[in-house]
Amino acid sequence: MTQPEQSKLTRNAILLVLVASLGYFVDIYDLLVFSIVRVPSLTDLGLSEAQITTQGQLIINVQMAGLLLGGIIWGVVGDKMGRIKVLFGSILLYSIANFANAFVANVPMYAAIRFIAGIGLAGELGAGITLVTETLSKEKRGYGTMIVAVIGLFGAAAAYAVAKHGWQSAYMVGGGLGILLLFMRIGTFESGMYQDVQESKASKGNFFMLFTNFGRFKKYLYCILIGAPLWYVVGVLVSFSPEFGKALHAKDVLSAGEGIFYTYIGISIGDIFAGLLAQVLKSRKVTMAVFHVLSTVAAIIYLRSEGITHDRFIWVCFIMGCSVGYWATFVTIAAEQFGTNIRATVTTTVPNFVRGSLIPITLAFNALKGNFGQINAGYIMMIVLTVIALFSLSQLKETFGKDLNYIEEDAGVN
């Protein structure tokens, strides 16, 4: 390869990482914006305090259903039609949905639009990570996915800041950011590995291939389970912080919105250290194991904080966020476990299924809470999820530096 060709490839790779990073930034912004503006938006629609809780949970679950469905749709599209089409299609869909959310008049309309937004949001991360892992060298792709996650997770901070200016403005800004990103994506290029697979006769984007081979299915399931503790920390320990505050006899009223804000700042910083540690150790598995242990310790600190104050709560959320800052490493592991012909399907569905796992996790937590109390249920769920995650991690092969230019056949790997 000549020097000009090498320079062009480097520029294209940098542009790709930048665009994927900003795409994930907007993705996280839009994913969390309802949780942040839930109370003021539903109050303006005339709901009572009790209805804000029940109808808010309904809307979140409907959005989650959209993410689960969208994960499958965009994953299949990414493997059959290309990663770039997913990046354009998904962000166009959720940008339009966010504009529409600023003008909702009732709960059914609100829920329907968040369902559509959920479908759109499901495609962004998987397609971006797939493109980055297939384009960068096997030695440097960990840096690329780390940058995508770090920049992207600051979308939570942006959503929290913009929401202070009104819930309708928050949705309008989210939609505007998406449209702006569409223009930035003009000129991004398709993965070379995907183009090679397109010329082959291999089955592409076949979601059911993940279930027709038991070894492949187990690997897919393990990829999902290693990410579950992260969403337990964010979706239960932090999101239900007002309830945990009461159980801990907190001296101040704990704010879930504020907790999420500082948790995501911690996750962004944790992702940097996780990415660097994986590069130094040349092992994503060891890195994940270290962070799983740290997250358990951080959760125990939180659950032992009797009489917790506002300032201590902020610091604990930040520490818990740092300890679960393995999102980029986790998604990269999933991308590296499977062949090019179903890689987008896996990389798009796995993080969305992890997000969806919050539904059974919450149900299990509530059942335990009824028998053992809020704090003991918090301990039990964190320990159980961590043990399951560590076992699942032990069953996966190390993928650091793995050559990803291969395909999955119906009978196995080629």
Side-chain angles (χ1 to χ4, degrees):
M1 183 180 296
T2 64
Q3 186 63 37
E5 290 174 333
Q6 182 65 46
S7 298
K8 181 180 179 181
L9 181 61
T10 301
R11 288 195 301 271
N12 287 341
I14 292 173
L15 175 63
L16 178 61
V17 172
L18 175 61
V19 170
S21 300
L22 294 177
Y24 190 39
F25 177 95
V26 180
D27 174 277
I28 289 294
Y29 178 104
D30 291 333
L31 180 66
L32 296 176
V33 67
F34 174 70
S35 295
I36 295 172
V37 303
R38 172 178 60 91
V39 174
S41 63
L42 295 181
T43 299
D44 283 356
L45 293 182
L47 274 66
S48 66
E49 183 176 349
Q51 289 175 320
I52 288 174
T53 299
T54 57
Q55 297 303 302
Q57 290 175 343
L58 170 66
I59 293 172
I60 289 176
N61 286 337
V62 168
Q63 176 179 295
M64 194 62 66
L67 283 163
L68 293 174
L69 176 61
I72 298 173
I73 293 172
W74 293 116
V76 172
V77 169
D79 281 322
K80 287 185 177 292
M81 302 177 64
R83 289 70 161 118
I84 294 296
K85 288 183 174 61
V86 174
L87 289 178
F88 278 92
S90 63
I91 199 165
L92 179 62
L93 183 61
Y94 70 69
S95 295
I96 293 173
N98 273 296
F99 279 125
N101 263 138
F103 303 99
V104 295
N106 52 57
V107 170
M109 183 187 298
Y110 208 151
I113 295 174
R114 288 321 293 169
F115 176 76
I116 295 171
I119 293 176
L121 288 166
E124 184 68 38
L125 176 63
I129 292 294
T130 302
L131 267 172
V132 170
T133 56
E134 292 180 344
T135 303
L136 272 63
S137 69
K138 59 185 180 181
E139 295 82 14
K140 295 182 179 179
R141 62 181 176 238
Y143 290 122
T145 56
M146 177 186 72
I147 293 171
V148 170
V150 169
I151 294 178
L153 291 171
F154 276 107
Y160 181 74
V162 174
K164 294 181 179 179
H165 300 282
W167 65 272
Q168 291 172 311
S169 297
Y171 282 123
M172 293 292 286
V173 169
L177 288 173
I179 298 301
L180 179 63
L181 186 62
L182 279 177
F183 288 103
M184 291 187 62
R185 284 191 168 150
I186 297 174
T188 50
F189 61 98
E190 188 56 84
S191 158
M193 291 184 190
Y194 169 76
Q195 291 174 335
D196 291 341
V197 168
Q198 278 294 90
E199 300 173 2
S200 74
K201 296 181 180 180
S203 177
K204 307 170 190 71
N206 185 352
F207 179 67
F208 297 104
M209 281 183 67
L210 296 168
F211 306 95
T212 56
N213 179 286
F214 186 59
R216 189 184 293 133
F217 169 71
K218 286 196 301 181
K219 185 166 59 172
Y220 182 64
L221 180 61
Y222 292 146
C223 285
I224 295 171
L225 293 175
I226 63 175
L230 187 156
W231 278 93
Y232 170 69
V233 169
V234 175
V236 175
L237 296 184
V238 179
S239 294
F240 294 152
S241 54
E243 289 84 353
F244 278 102
K246 291 179 181 178
L248 291 169
H249 306 102
K251 296 181 179 178
D252 307 293
V253 177
L254 305 185
S255 166
E258 194 172 23
I260 289 173
F261 172 70
Y262 286 102
T263 300
Y264 269 86
I265 291 177
I267 291 174
S268 297
I269 294 174
D271 259 314
I272 296 175
F273 284 101
L276 294 176
L277 183 61
Q279 292 296 134
V280 171
L281 298 177
K282 299 190 184 306
S283 173
R284 306 202 202 287
K285 288 182 62 175
V286 173
T287 299
M288 284 286 292
V290 169
F291 273 74
H292 278 315
V293 173
L294 291 176
S295 63
T296 303
V297 173
I300 290 173
I301 291 173
Y302 173 52
L303 295 170
R304 287 179 59 85
S305 298
E306 182 71 20
I308 189 171
T309 63
H310 170 266
D311 291 345
R312 180 177 173 84
F313 171 66
I314 288 175
W315 278 107
V316 169
C317 285
F318 173 74
I319 292 170
M320 285 197 297
C322 290
S323 70
V324 294
Y326 51 76
W327 188 244
T329 303
F330 147 72
V331 179
T332 304
I333 288 175
E336 293 173 335
Q337 293 287 335
F338 295 87
T340 307
N341 55 319
I342 59 169
R343 185 169 297 127
T345 299
V346 170
T347 313
T348 305
T349 54
V350 164
N352 286 301
F353 282 6
V354 169
R355 290 164 174 167
S357 71
L358 187 60
I359 297 173
I361 286 173
T362 302
L363 292 174
F365 172 78
N366 287 335
L368 289 169
K369 182 175 66 174
N371 293 319
F372 301 101
Q374 182 92 11
I375 302 303
N376 287 332
Y379 282 124
I380 294 170
M381 282 301 300
M382 188 66 197
I383 292 172
V384 168
L385 289 173
T386 301
V387 169
I388 293 174
L390 288 172
F391 171 77
S392 300
L393 187 64
S394 72
Q395 301 305 298
L396 294 172
K397 293 181 180 180
E398 178 59 61
T399 56
F400 186 90
K402 178 182 179 181
D403 184 359
L404 300 184
N405 195 13
Y406 67 96
I407 61 174
E408 302 270 350
E409 299 284 9
D410 288 335
V413 176
N414 183 17

